[in-house]
Amino acid sequence: MLYYNTKQLSSSYEFGRQLFQMISSEKRKNQPLVFLCIGSDRATGDSLGPIIGYKLAQRRFSSIYIYGTLEEPVHAKNLEEIIHTIYNTFSNPYIIAIDACLGKASHIGYFTLDQGALKPGAGVGKNLPHIGNLYITGIVNLSGFLEHSLLQTTRLYTVMSLADHICNGIIYCLSRLEQTAKTAL
């Protein structure tokens, strides 16, 4: 698992560069690229995914599909249904799952990138389906005590800072993917 600190100016670039390398080495040429942005806008600490989905949707990249925005969030109650929709819509999609998470005090404001499936809701004791080829998490608050309350009282600044850095890195990655696709023609 790779960690990136929002307080470091180069974190978005380093994250975007690594994301590009991981996608380029794993995703097949015609495999659909899906961003599954998980969370709810009803709790500040859980709104990271929908904010990122909203920001990405504003950019209107033609080569990606986005599930989970502020308008149409993907959360614990509809996650299974959305996963079925994705697999019924796309043949073998390459899914990047994004969610907020809780962690150590020293890691608040960091975001992570790793291969494999995301385990949404694990930090608050929910048993939800694992999903993704890659996953991105943003550490929004402490874990270990009154997790539901912490998600309600998480600072919006922390969430927005994480969303900005993650989106900037994803946009950098997607721009490079588009350039690579154009030069391959």
Side-chain angles (χ1 to χ4, degrees):
M1 179 179 298
L2 301 171
Y3 285 82
Y4 302 91
N5 186 348
T6 57
K7 296 192 184 334
Q8 293 179 338
L9 292 176
S10 63
S11 65
S12 292
Y13 166 74
E14 292 169 8
F15 163 72
R17 189 174 51 79
Q18 184 63 41
L19 182 62
F20 171 77
Q21 290 175 350
M22 292 170 90
I23 293 172
S24 296
S25 68
E26 294 179 9
K27 182 183 160 299
R28 292 194 325 267
K29 183 177 180 181
N30 293 320
Q31 195 174 15
L33 181 57
V34 175
F35 285 86
L36 179 59
C37 304
I38 301 166
S40 169
D41 61 345
R42 295 178 184 254
T44 307
D46 199 29
S47 65
L48 180 67
I51 291 171
I52 291 171
Y54 169 82
K55 287 174 165 269
L56 291 176
Q58 299 298 307
R59 297 302 295 248
R60 304 208 186 276
F61 281 94
S62 61
S63 58
I64 65 169
Y65 303 92
I66 301 164
Y67 290 84
T69 63
L70 290 171
E71 184 178 3
E72 296 181 26
V74 174
H75 45 72
K77 292 182 180 173
N78 68 359
L79 180 61
E80 277 192 56
E81 175 188 338
I82 298 298
I83 291 171
H84 288 296
T85 299
I86 291 169
Y87 283 108
N88 286 332
T89 304
F90 304 103
S91 175
N92 191 28
Y94 190 89
I95 299 173
I96 299 174
I98 303 171
D99 199 4
C101 72
L102 302 172
K104 297 189 294 189
S106 61
H107 284 162
I108 295 172
Y110 281 69
F111 55 104
T112 70
L113 171 65
D114 205 357
Q115 295 175 315
L118 175 71
K119 298 170 186 158
V124 290
K126 292 184 180 174
N127 186 20
L128 299 171
H130 302 183
I131 184 71
N133 299 83
L134 293 177
Y135 67 90
I136 300 165
T137 62
I139 303 167
V140 298
N141 216 327
L142 293 169
S143 66
F145 185 69
L146 298 173
E147 283 87 356
H148 288 286
S149 294
L150 287 172
L151 289 175
Q152 297 290 338
T153 60
T154 296
R155 292 195 62 217
L156 182 59
Y157 174 80
T158 302
V159 175
M160 291 305 292
S161 180
L162 284 162
D164 288 343
H165 279 78
I166 292 168
C167 282
N168 287 339
I170 291 172
I171 290 165
Y172 171 80
C173 169
L174 293 174
S175 298
R176 284 204 50 200
L177 287 170
E178 285 186 351
Q179 288 173 350
T180 304
K182 286 178 186 175
T183 58
L185 296 175

